Amino acid sequence: MLTSLKIFAVNHQKICRMHINTICCCRIRTSFKRLKTCVPLIRNYSSLPGLIGNDVKSLHSIINPPIAKIRNIGIMAHIDAGKTTTTERILYYSGYTRSLGDVDDGDTVTDFMAQERERGITIQSAAVTFDWKGYRINLIDTPGHVDFTLEVERCLRVLDGAVAVFDASAGVEAQTLTVWRQADKHKIPRICFVNKMDKTGASFNYTVESIRKKLKAKPLLLQLPIGEAKAFKGVVDVVSKEKLLWTSNSADGKDFERKPLLEKSDPELLKETTEARNVLIEQVADLDDEFADLVLREFSENFDLLPAEKLQTAIHRITLAQAAVPVLCGSALKNKGIQPLLDAITMYLPSPEECKYEFLQWHKGDLCALAFKVLHDKQRGPLVFLRIYSGTLKPQLAIHNINRNCTERMSRLLLPFADQHIEIPSLAAGNIALTVGLKHTATGDTIVSSKSSALAAVRQAERGGKKNRQSSEEAERLLLAGVEIPEPVFFCTIEPPSMAKQPDLDHALKCLQREDPSLKVRLDPDSGQTILCGMGELHIEIIHERIKREYGLETYLGPLQVAYRETVLNSVRTTDTLDRTLGDKRHLVTVELEAGPAEATSVVPVIAYAESISEDLLQASQEVIENGIHSACLQGPLLGSPVQDVAITLHSVIIHPGTSMTMVSACVSRCVQKALKKAEKQILEPLMHLEVTVATDYLSPVLADLAQRRGNIQEIQTRQDNKVVIGFVPLAEIMGYSTVLRTLTSGSATFALELSTYQVLRNAKKCWDTCLLHSW
């Protein structure tokens, strides 16, 4: 065993010296030279992964700890709330880094991309694995910018719990609401961490109240701050009635004192903590029947006698049931409150075995994993992140991709320890792995051990469906689990420096699309230009920079344009016939259909079939008919934009014997286009939800500017000394808004955008200008 451990340690040291980067190994030195700040090239780790102090564990326990000791969590928040700084402190206190990284210095572990370090923001989610007091924690640091919301979505899809970070001076902000709704959708238990308690204007009570009102959540106050803003020096543990003070002579925050609250030394603090604990016990008793019985039976006379362990167990159950959220506080930048946060993660968030996944019952312990992220490495090829739900993953294993219906062989299996990867012999259920050698697997693909095991799982689901049809449908949906990809709102042309470089550009865009599914690339059929479609200005700008840095291509971007949509206002019925003779075979199709407005909002066309359409015809040609309808709605007759909110009813299809299905699809597509041209049409423009945080002195010019941009102000809230303007504004009017807002407010205001819906473009001049621009 010791020999195996020594081999593992030697391999770990070799990998550390090589400094394997997750993005681009072969160009790492070039990328770092371009950084304005001085970034250390070597990151030291204090101990071998899995070793705490001098405690020597078995090799198996290092690689595959007991599933009850695993925590898969994510850090999520609004931009600039302190997610990456919190992650950096967590890594430092858990013993995997010897120096504290800083976002401003550009030397953090999870922000390893050159663009992240230059801009001081998180662009790609990064996975780190570390141990804390015998627990294995797989942590993912997610972006806070709305342009990269897909990164949050696909990571939350595979996590068991999350830590929501809040700015104590701002409370719940725009993007906080977005990530909270994403966590609600995936039913993820959460812990709230009120960060920046040392910041001027910090208010713990205000943040808690905003959590209660804006997020509609029930906060459980497990900690109280000792002082706020400059006076912040520690926290009070409400559960154990202890105070935690970080000593002033400890620059890195590792040393802190935990003392019980006493009547003699802290009478007021003890009184406040006792009241908060009594309120906490009452809240927990209201939400947990088992705890309520315990309190009424044994501790109704005196809550002080209630053991902390009983209260913690009940809070754990409530957190898992998502009936309430524990709230802690601290200051990541000032190194205060992180160790209690780590304790809360292990104590209150669920292990993989406590999470119920309905689809696992169909696999019966066989391999089932979900690919949730893909990175491209020039030396090793695609690196695929997998969340293992059941079974065991090993190198050189042939796996089956259900979504792609293909079998691939995985060459190597890695464990993501911070910004370095450790090669391992196997990994069990409940863990997050990094694989090498999967050439076709993409985000959202379900991985099983073989095609036969996938078929066996489907048969199991069908058998279960005989007893309960709903559970069968749910199992089938989760069997092919994926990630919802939002539609892009910005697009522009991208061109290589010369036509000889076009294949290189196509390869770079293909790799980037596989990494980032929210990036869409299409070819303009009229001009032959490559169109880049993204989630925002920053998103497209980052893609442009990555093509330059990682693939060495100096590309040229055309002007940014808004992704408009088109729709119809009335119903039109048309008939079309396609008659072609190819060789000695005649292809004849006649189609009659009706196009009109859909009853509900729908991005894809709503397809219906008349009763006169026979079942035999539908079975033979339904797929090609629907393909023809979908392809026709990709480009509308006005601007060539996608058509939405349209319903297509097929009344008749007459197919001559021997006609190919391709001709059927082409005829249906042409008939739909004819109907769309005849119908009354209008253009839809994207409407953005806008939240501007501005000082009171600058409120008037900001409101005047928004009025000129066709903005619709919903409300103006007060947040500490600032005003928060909430409203809607067309996306076309908000391009370049950050520069204008900085000018109007002397750089003091901030804003957040999120796509709300599509509305009718009522400005006739804007519509005409858009048509001219498209024609040009």
Side-chain angles (χ1 to χ4, degrees):
M1 190 73 261
L2 288 175
T3 305
S4 301
L5 194 58
K6 286 177 181 178
I7 293 171
F8 185 82
V10 169
N11 289 337
H12 173 69
Q13 291 171 0
K14 287 180 180 179
I15 292 173
C16 289
R17 285 197 295 270
M18 289 171 64
H19 190 71
I20 299 173
N21 191 284
T22 55
I23 285 293
C24 186
C25 301
C26 63
R27 299 186 63 86
I28 188 168
R29 292 180 181 174
T30 306
S31 299
F32 281 151
K33 284 178 182 178
R34 291 173 179 167
L35 294 180
K36 296 178 182 178
T37 55
C38 180
V39 181
L41 291 178
I42 298 177
R43 177 167 291 279
N44 294 319
Y45 293 85
S46 62
S47 62
L48 179 69
L51 302 183
I52 301 176
N54 295 320
D55 179 24
V56 179
K57 299 181 180 179
S58 68
L59 185 61
H60 180 77
S61 67
I62 292 173
I63 298 169
N64 286 310
I67 193 168
K69 296 288 187 178
I70 297 175
R71 299 290 184 270
N72 294 309
I73 66 164
I75 305 286
M76 61 182 197
H78 183 85
I79 189 171
D80 202 31
K83 299 179 299 299
T84 302
T85 304
T86 302
T87 304
E88 188 66 26
R89 270 48 180 178
I90 286 174
L91 289 176
Y92 180 69
Y93 298 133
S94 63
Y96 287 99
T97 57
R98 290 183 177 177
S99 60
L100 283 169
D102 192 274
V103 172
D104 295 332
D105 295 337
D107 61 350
T108 57
V109 171
T110 52
D111 284 353
F112 47 76
M113 288 175 61
Q115 293 92 332
E116 291 177 318
R117 293 184 166 180
E118 287 176 352
R119 298 168 184 268
I121 62 172
T122 301
I123 295 171
Q124 281 195 340
S125 54
V128 290
T129 301
F130 59 90
D131 288 345
W132 177 256
K133 296 183 178 178
Y135 286 84
R136 168 65 49 82
I137 300 178
N138 300 311
L139 183 146
I140 296 181
D141 179 23
T142 63
H145 199 283
V146 67
D147 284 16
F148 310 107
T149 187
L150 178 68
E151 285 288 320
V152 184
E153 176 78 20
R154 62 181 176 181
C155 291
L156 289 178
R157 175 66 187 81
V158 298
L159 295 175
D160 302 324
V163 177
V165 181
F166 299 83
D167 185 334
S169 64
V172 175
E173 299 175 88
Q175 190 64 8
T176 313
L177 283 165
T178 303
V179 296
W180 195 269
R181 285 196 297 267
Q182 288 174 311
D184 281 338
K185 181 172 68 175
H186 295 294
K187 299 178 180 179
I188 294 177
R190 275 143 278 175
I191 286 177
C192 296
F193 180 64
V194 182
N195 192 25
K196 301 188 177 182
M197 284 303 305
D198 63 310
K199 186 178 177 181
T200 303
S203 173
F204 182 71
N205 291 333
Y206 170 79
T207 304
V208 171
E209 194 60 29
S210 69
I211 292 172
R212 181 180 287 110
K213 289 183 177 179
K214 294 184 179 181
L215 301 180
K216 309 300 181 186
K218 295 180 180 179
L220 302 177
L221 303 188
L222 307 189
Q223 291 180 351
L224 298 175
I226 302 176
E228 291 180 345
K230 291 183 179 180
F232 178 70
K233 57 182 179 179
V235 299
V236 173
D237 189 331
V238 175
V239 177
S240 62
K241 295 173 72 171
E242 295 175 321
K243 63 178 180 179
L244 284 69
L245 297 175
W246 276 260
T247 56
S248 56
N249 58 355
S250 177
D252 62 358
K254 273 193 173 181
D255 301 325
F256 64 94
E257 298 177 335
R258 180 185 286 269
K259 296 180 179 179
L261 291 172
L262 301 175
E263 183 69 36
K264 293 182 180 180
S265 55
D266 303 290
E268 294 183 5
L269 194 58
L270 177 61
K271 181 181 177 183
E272 183 183 357
T273 305
T274 302
E275 292 175 356
R277 191 174 191 267
N278 291 342
V279 170
L280 176 64
I281 291 172
E282 291 173 359
Q283 284 181 301
V284 174
D286 287 339
L287 299 170
D288 187 84
D289 293 338
E290 183 180 339
F291 182 76
D293 292 339
L294 175 68
V295 171
L296 291 173
R297 190 172 60 251
E298 300 180 28
F299 305 103
S300 58
E301 299 297 328
N302 189 355
F303 285 169
D304 291 339
L305 299 177
L306 179 69
E309 294 77 13
K310 298 289 186 182
L311 182 55
Q312 289 166 347
T313 303
I315 294 172
H316 175 75
R317 289 196 298 268
I318 290 172
T319 306
L320 263 60
Q322 299 168 60
V325 288
V327 178
L328 299 93
C329 60
S331 171
L333 186 63
K334 298 298 181 181
N335 312 316
K336 296 174 182 174
I338 302 301
Q339 295 95 328
L341 174 63
L342 278 166
D343 292 335
I345 288 170
T346 60
M347 194 177 301
Y348 302 121
L349 291 180
S351 66
E353 64 180 0
E354 291 177 304
C355 299
K356 295 181 180 179
Y357 299 106
E358 296 293 334
F359 62 95
L360 287 184
Q361 60 181 312
W362 318 126
H363 291 277
K364 292 189 175 297
D366 205 352
L367 175 65
C368 179
L370 181 69
F372 67 94
K373 186 176 174 64
V374 179
L375 294 175
H376 273 272
D377 188 290
K378 287 195 174 181
Q379 289 184 349
R380 293 174 293 183
L383 306 177
V384 181
F385 282 87
L386 295 178
R387 164 67 197 271
I388 309 172
Y389 288 102
S390 67
T392 302
L393 209 57
K394 294 181 179 180
Q396 304 301 323
L397 182 70
I399 55 92
H400 181 72
N401 187 324
I402 296 181
N403 299 66
R404 311 283 164 181
N405 193 24
C406 66
T407 300
E408 297 187 86
R409 186 170 295 277
M410 179 180 56
S411 60
R412 298 167 66 195
L413 184 64
L414 308 172
L415 200 61
F417 279 104
D419 57 348
Q420 300 169 1
H421 304 147
I422 312 301
E423 191 165 355
I424 53 175
S426 67
L427 204 60
N431 283 288
I432 291 176
L434 191 59
T435 62
V436 181
L438 302 182
K439 303 297 183 184
H440 305 290
T441 302
T443 297
D445 289 354
T446 303
I447 303 300
V448 294
S449 57
S450 63
K451 190 172 184 177
S452 59
S453 67
L455 294 174
V458 172
R459 285 195 295 270
Q460 289 287 339
E462 289 174 351
R463 290 193 197 103
K466 292 178 181 178
K467 298 179 181 178
N468 184 349
R469 183 177 178 181
Q470 185 178 359
S471 66
S472 175
E473 292 174 355
E474 184 74 5
E476 186 177 353
R477 184 180 72 82
L478 290 171
L479 190 68
L480 302 171
V483 179
E484 292 183 14
I485 300 171
E487 289 295 318
V489 293
F490 273 116
F491 68 93
C492 66
T493 59
I494 182 169
E495 296 180 357
S498 65
M499 288 305 296
K501 294 289 185 180
Q502 185 66 47
D504 296 335
L505 176 60
D506 293 340
H507 171 71
L509 291 175
K510 183 180 179 181
C511 294
L512 290 171
Q513 270 189 287
R514 191 176 173 196
E515 283 188 31
D516 182 4
S518 65
L519 173 68
K520 302 290 177 66
V521 179
R522 59 182 175 86
L523 195 67
D524 191 305
D526 299 324
S527 64
Q529 290 179 300
T530 303
I531 308 295
L532 204 62
C533 308
M535 299 303 299
E537 292 179 81
L538 179 62
H539 187 202
I540 290 180
E541 185 182 335
I542 293 295
I543 293 297
H544 185 223
E545 288 185 14
R546 289 190 64 188
I547 292 173
K548 179 181 178 181
R549 295 191 185 208
E550 297 173 24
Y551 297 92
L553 289 174
E554 290 282 354
T555 54
Y556 304 101
L557 293 182
L560 276 178
Q561 298 181 39
V562 176
Y564 291 97
R565 299 281 176 85
E566 299 178 28
T567 190
V568 295
L569 300 176
N570 64 327
S571 297
V572 173
R573 190 162 176 165
T574 57
T575 304
D576 192 47
T577 300
L578 188 149
D579 190 354
R580 293 282 188 277
T581 300
L582 300 176
D584 58 349
K585 187 176 290 188
R586 185 187 182 191
H587 303 270
L588 178 61
V589 189
T590 300
V591 176
E592 184 181 0
L593 54 79
E594 183 179 1
E599 295 181 0
T601 300
S602 176
V603 177
V604 296
V606 179
I607 303 173
Y609 298 93
E611 294 181 359
S612 57
I613 304 293
S614 67
E615 289 292 334
D616 295 337
L617 179 65
L618 279 181
Q619 287 181 357
S621 57
Q622 182 175 359
E623 184 178 353
V624 295
I625 289 172
E626 294 185 357
N627 286 341
I629 294 173
H630 284 289
S631 63
C633 292
L634 291 177
Q635 289 189 321
L638 285 176
L639 299 178
S641 301
V643 180
Q644 72 172 39
D645 305 340
V646 62
I648 306 294
T649 304
L650 196 69
H651 290 283
S652 172
V653 179
I654 301 173
I655 304 174
H656 188 273
T659 302
S660 73
M661 290 295 104
T662 305
M663 293 297 179
V664 175
S665 181
C667 184
V668 171
S669 180
R670 197 169 71 176
C671 191
V672 172
Q673 289 175 345
K674 186 187 291 187
L676 293 176
K677 287 178 181 178
K678 288 184 179 180
E680 293 184 27
K681 301 165 286 291
Q682 61 183 190
I683 298 173
L684 304 176
E685 64 176 343
L687 188 68
M688 308 299 288
H689 180 268
L690 175 69
E691 184 174 301
V692 183
T693 304
V694 59
T696 307
D697 298 341
Y698 298 109
L699 181 61
S700 296
V702 168
L703 292 176
D705 180 69
L706 288 175
Q708 293 179 349
R709 297 174 183 271
R710 297 189 286 141
N712 181 12
I713 307 302
Q714 299 294 305
E715 61 176 320
I716 300 175
Q717 300 176 350
T718 300
R719 181 184 291 167
Q720 306 294 343
D721 298 330
N722 296 325
K723 297 292 183 181
V724 181
V725 181
I726 300 173
F728 298 94
V729 63
L731 179 61
E733 304 288 353
I734 211 72
M735 285 198 289
Y737 183 61
S738 57
T739 304
V740 176
L741 186 63
R742 281 197 298 267
T743 304
L744 289 174
T745 63
S746 300
S748 62
T750 60
F751 76 101
L753 281 174
E754 183 184 9
L755 179 64
S756 174
T757 184
Y758 275 80
Q759 69 170 10
V760 177
L761 179 60
R762 303 188 183 280
N763 190 327
K765 183 178 184 303
K766 175 69 70 175
C767 180
W768 178 247
D769 291 344
T770 303
C771 292
L772 286 177
L773 178 64
H774 178 76
S775 301
W776 181 81

PDB file of all heavy atoms in Angstrom, residues 339-352:
ATOM      1  N   GLN A 339     -14.050  29.318   6.877  1.00  0.00           N
ATOM      2  CA  GLN A 339     -14.005  27.992   7.518  1.00  0.00           C
ATOM      3  C   GLN A 339     -15.384  27.545   8.020  1.00  0.00           C
ATOM      4  O   GLN A 339     -15.773  26.392   7.794  1.00  0.00           O
ATOM      5  CB  GLN A 339     -12.985  27.985   8.658  1.00  0.00           C
ATOM      6  CG  GLN A 339     -11.545  28.196   8.199  1.00  0.00           C
ATOM      7  CD  GLN A 339     -11.104  29.655   8.276  1.00  0.00           C
ATOM      8  OE1 GLN A 339     -11.911  30.554   8.089  1.00  0.00           O
ATOM      9  NE2 GLN A 339      -9.830  29.892   8.580  1.00  0.00           N
ATOM     10  N   PRO A 340     -16.168  28.427   8.684  1.00  0.00           N
ATOM     11  CA  PRO A 340     -17.536  28.022   9.059  1.00  0.00           C
ATOM     12  C   PRO A 340     -18.418  27.723   7.852  1.00  0.00           C
ATOM     13  O   PRO A 340     -19.295  26.857   7.928  1.00  0.00           O
ATOM     14  CB  PRO A 340     -18.062  29.233   9.829  1.00  0.00           C
ATOM     15  CG  PRO A 340     -16.846  29.943  10.323  1.00  0.00           C
ATOM     16  CD  PRO A 340     -15.805  29.727   9.290  1.00  0.00           C
ATOM     17  N   LEU A 341     -18.163  28.409   6.735  1.00  0.00           N
ATOM     18  CA  LEU A 341     -18.920  28.121   5.514  1.00  0.00           C
ATOM     19  C   LEU A 341     -18.615  26.709   5.019  1.00  0.00           C
ATOM     20  O   LEU A 341     -19.515  25.977   4.609  1.00  0.00           O
ATOM     21  CB  LEU A 341     -18.584  29.156   4.436  1.00  0.00           C
ATOM     22  CG  LEU A 341     -19.197  28.913   3.045  1.00  0.00           C
ATOM     23  CD1 LEU A 341     -20.719  28.962   3.117  1.00  0.00           C
ATOM     24  CD2 LEU A 341     -18.683  29.934   2.041  1.00  0.00           C
ATOM     25  N   LEU A 342     -17.347  26.313   5.058  1.00  0.00           N
ATOM     26  CA  LEU A 342     -16.972  24.947   4.669  1.00  0.00           C
ATOM     27  C   LEU A 342     -17.628  23.917   5.583  1.00  0.00           C
ATOM     28  O   LEU A 342     -18.097  22.863   5.126  1.00  0.00           O
ATOM     29  CB  LEU A 342     -15.451  24.803   4.705  1.00  0.00           C
ATOM     30  CG  LEU A 342     -14.695  25.317   3.484  1.00  0.00           C
ATOM     31  CD1 LEU A 342     -13.203  25.429   3.787  1.00  0.00           C
ATOM     32  CD2 LEU A 342     -14.914  24.418   2.288  1.00  0.00           C
ATOM     33  N   ASP A 343     -17.659  24.212   6.883  1.00  0.00           N
ATOM     34  CA  ASP A 343     -18.332  23.304   7.824  1.00  0.00           C
ATOM     35  C   ASP A 343     -19.823  23.180   7.480  1.00  0.00           C
ATOM     36  O   ASP A 343     -20.400  22.086   7.543  1.00  0.00           O
ATOM     37  CB  ASP A 343     -18.173  23.809   9.258  1.00  0.00           C
ATOM     38  CG  ASP A 343     -16.730  23.710   9.740  1.00  0.00           C
ATOM     39  OD1 ASP A 343     -15.984  22.862   9.203  1.00  0.00           O
ATOM     40  OD2 ASP A 343     -16.343  24.475  10.642  1.00  0.00           O
ATOM     41  N   ALA A 344     -20.439  24.308   7.116  1.00  0.00           N
ATOM     42  CA  ALA A 344     -21.871  24.299   6.783  1.00  0.00           C
ATOM     43  C   ALA A 344     -22.125  23.511   5.503  1.00  0.00           C
ATOM     44  O   ALA A 344     -23.148  22.830   5.374  1.00  0.00           O
ATOM     45  CB  ALA A 344     -22.382  25.728   6.635  1.00  0.00           C
ATOM     46  N   ILE A 345     -21.201  23.580   4.539  1.00  0.00           N
ATOM     47  CA  ILE A 345     -21.346  22.823   3.297  1.00  0.00           C
ATOM     48  C   ILE A 345     -21.393  21.327   3.579  1.00  0.00           C
ATOM     49  O   ILE A 345     -22.238  20.597   3.061  1.00  0.00           O
ATOM     50  CB  ILE A 345     -20.197  23.172   2.325  1.00  0.00           C
ATOM     51  CG1 ILE A 345     -20.379  24.585   1.769  1.00  0.00           C
ATOM     52  CG2 ILE A 345     -20.112  22.163   1.189  1.00  0.00           C
ATOM     53  CD1 ILE A 345     -19.186  25.101   0.988  1.00  0.00           C
ATOM     54  N   THR A 346     -20.473  20.870   4.409  1.00  0.00           N
ATOM     55  CA  THR A 346     -20.428  19.436   4.729  1.00  0.00           C
ATOM     56  C   THR A 346     -21.582  19.021   5.639  1.00  0.00           C
ATOM     57  O   THR A 346     -22.022  17.868   5.607  1.00  0.00           O
ATOM     58  CB  THR A 346     -19.094  19.077   5.400  1.00  0.00           C
ATOM     59  OG1 THR A 346     -18.948  19.835   6.607  1.00  0.00           O
ATOM     60  CG2 THR A 346     -17.934  19.391   4.480  1.00  0.00           C
ATOM     61  N   MET A 347     -22.084  19.967   6.432  1.00  0.00           N
ATOM     62  CA  MET A 347     -23.102  19.631   7.434  1.00  0.00           C
ATOM     63  C   MET A 347     -24.524  19.686   6.877  1.00  0.00           C
ATOM     64  O   MET A 347     -25.370  18.847   7.212  1.00  0.00           O
ATOM     65  CB  MET A 347     -22.984  20.593   8.614  1.00  0.00           C
ATOM     66  CG  MET A 347     -23.746  20.165   9.856  1.00  0.00           C
ATOM     67  SD  MET A 347     -23.460  21.347  11.194  1.00  0.00           S
ATOM     68  CE  MET A 347     -21.687  21.280  11.392  1.00  0.00           C
ATOM     69  N   TYR A 348     -24.810  20.663   6.010  1.00  0.00           N
ATOM     70  CA  TYR A 348     -26.195  20.906   5.604  1.00  0.00           C
ATOM     71  C   TYR A 348     -26.510  20.532   4.155  1.00  0.00           C
ATOM     72  O   TYR A 348     -27.666  20.242   3.844  1.00  0.00           O
ATOM     73  CB  TYR A 348     -26.551  22.384   5.829  1.00  0.00           C
ATOM     74  CG  TYR A 348     -26.382  22.830   7.260  1.00  0.00           C
ATOM     75  CD1 TYR A 348     -25.523  23.874   7.589  1.00  0.00           C
ATOM     76  CD2 TYR A 348     -27.052  22.185   8.300  1.00  0.00           C
ATOM     77  CE1 TYR A 348     -25.355  24.277   8.902  1.00  0.00           C
ATOM     78  CE2 TYR A 348     -26.890  22.579   9.620  1.00  0.00           C
ATOM     79  CZ  TYR A 348     -26.033  23.626   9.909  1.00  0.00           C
ATOM     80  OH  TYR A 348     -25.865  24.014  11.222  1.00  0.00           O
ATOM     81  N   LEU A 349     -25.531  20.569   3.263  1.00  0.00           N
ATOM     82  CA  LEU A 349     -25.816  20.219   1.877  1.00  0.00           C
ATOM     83  C   LEU A 349     -25.764  18.704   1.677  1.00  0.00           C
ATOM     84  O   LEU A 349     -25.052  18.010   2.392  1.00  0.00           O
ATOM     85  CB  LEU A 349     -24.824  20.921   0.942  1.00  0.00           C
ATOM     86  CG  LEU A 349     -24.991  22.446   0.853  1.00  0.00           C
ATOM     87  CD1 LEU A 349     -23.978  23.046  -0.098  1.00  0.00           C
ATOM     88  CD2 LEU A 349     -26.407  22.834   0.436  1.00  0.00           C
ATOM     89  N   PRO A 350     -26.489  18.172   0.696  1.00  0.00           N
ATOM     90  CA  PRO A 350     -26.649  16.713   0.584  1.00  0.00           C
ATOM     91  C   PRO A 350     -25.456  16.023  -0.054  1.00  0.00           C
ATOM     92  O   PRO A 350     -24.700  16.606  -0.834  1.00  0.00           O
ATOM     93  CB  PRO A 350     -27.880  16.573  -0.313  1.00  0.00           C
ATOM     94  CG  PRO A 350     -27.858  17.801  -1.162  1.00  0.00           C
ATOM     95  CD  PRO A 350     -27.311  18.890  -0.287  1.00  0.00           C
ATOM     96  N   SER A 351     -25.295  14.748   0.285  1.00  0.00           N
ATOM     97  CA  SER A 351     -24.364  13.874  -0.427  1.00  0.00           C
ATOM     98  C   SER A 351     -25.104  13.301  -1.630  1.00  0.00           C
ATOM     99  O   SER A 351     -26.336  13.364  -1.698  1.00  0.00           O
ATOM    100  CB  SER A 351     -23.890  12.748   0.486  1.00  0.00           C
ATOM    101  OG  SER A 351     -24.975  11.891   0.802  1.00  0.00           O
ATOM    102  N   PRO A 352     -24.396  12.714  -2.611  1.00  0.00           N
ATOM    103  CA  PRO A 352     -25.082  12.146  -3.784  1.00  0.00           C
ATOM    104  C   PRO A 352     -26.129  11.094  -3.440  1.00  0.00           C
ATOM    105  O   PRO A 352     -27.141  10.990  -4.129  1.00  0.00           O
ATOM    106  CB  PRO A 352     -23.927  11.547  -4.600  1.00  0.00           C
ATOM    107  CG  PRO A 352     -22.736  12.353  -4.218  1.00  0.00           C
ATOM    108  CD  PRO A 352     -22.925  12.687  -2.767  1.00  0.00           C
TER     109      PRO A 352
END
